[in-house]
Amino acid sequence: MLPEGRSGQEIALIALLGLCVGVAEELATRGLAVKMLRDAGHGERFVAIVSSLLFALMHSVNLLSGMRVSTVASTIVYTFCFGICMYLVMRVTGTIWAAIILHGITDPTTILSSGGIDRAVNAGGTDGWSALTSLATIGFMLFAVVAMFLIRGNATVKPTINA
């Protein structure tokens, strides 16, 4: 069964776009930015925070599409936490590909399940599913904030782009 109002072709295009966005954003933030920050001698907590902040601020361009300021602000907070988690995935696995794949799966499934962040926030769902996903998102964000303070030292395994 297809999501309401979505054709198979539209779903395939959203999945492909999500994968492309995941590749581009991860290469820019967990690839290039992390490497530059590490090469400059910064500790891993600093690297995680700055690369995640860069990732979050990249989403401020949503203002140009006419998205409400409050929606963009909540997106920036969420994507900062998401960035911390993608950094942790990369650091634990030792490869950027794990973060790319996870990110490439997350964006399309979010769009297909909610219609996109602007629709989901503006709709302010009141059903049980919306409440559950809101609690899960808050839990995810709390995990990211706590994990950020637990990051120590320097990475012993440098993330690679090779498979």
Side-chain angles (χ1 to χ4, degrees):
M1 187 164 109
L2 297 176
E4 189 176 321
R6 305 276 188 189
S7 69
Q9 182 180 14
E10 187 177 16
I11 291 170
L13 288 173
I14 289 170
L16 179 61
L17 177 63
L19 180 61
C20 292
V21 168
V23 168
E25 289 180 346
E26 292 305 317
L27 287 176
T29 56
R30 254 65 65 191
L32 184 62
V34 165
K35 179 168 180 12
M36 290 173 63
L37 291 165
R38 284 178 176 165
D39 287 351
H42 295 289
E44 286 303 297
R45 182 179 302 134
F46 182 85
V47 170
I49 291 169
V50 171
S51 64
S52 298
L53 185 58
L54 172 65
F55 174 68
L57 292 175
M58 288 168 58
H59 292 82
S60 65
V61 300
N62 291 334
L63 286 169
L64 300 176
S65 71
M67 195 180 284
R68 291 184 348 202
V69 173
S70 60
T71 302
V72 173
S74 63
T75 300
I76 289 171
V77 171
Y78 170 80
T79 54
F80 174 79
C81 294
F82 185 82
I84 292 288
C85 288
M86 291 302 97
Y87 163 84
L88 292 170
V89 165
M90 184 186 71
R91 184 163 178 196
V92 167
T93 63
T95 178
I96 196 171
W97 285 109
I100 288 172
I101 291 168
L102 217 65
H103 189 161
I105 292 169
T106 301
D107 286 351
T109 55
T110 301
I111 291 167
L112 291 171
S113 67
S114 68
I117 187 73
D118 52 340
R119 285 190 193 166
V121 170
N122 293 336
T126 56
D127 63 341
W129 182 249
S130 294
L132 181 61
T133 57
S134 294
L135 285 174
T137 300
I138 290 168
F140 163 78
M141 292 170 68
L142 288 173
F143 167 81
V145 170
V146 169
M148 177 177 61
F149 290 102
L150 299 176
I151 297 169
R152 300 275 187 262
N154 294 317
T156 56
V157 176
K158 302 292 182 195
T160 62
I161 294 179
N162 302 330

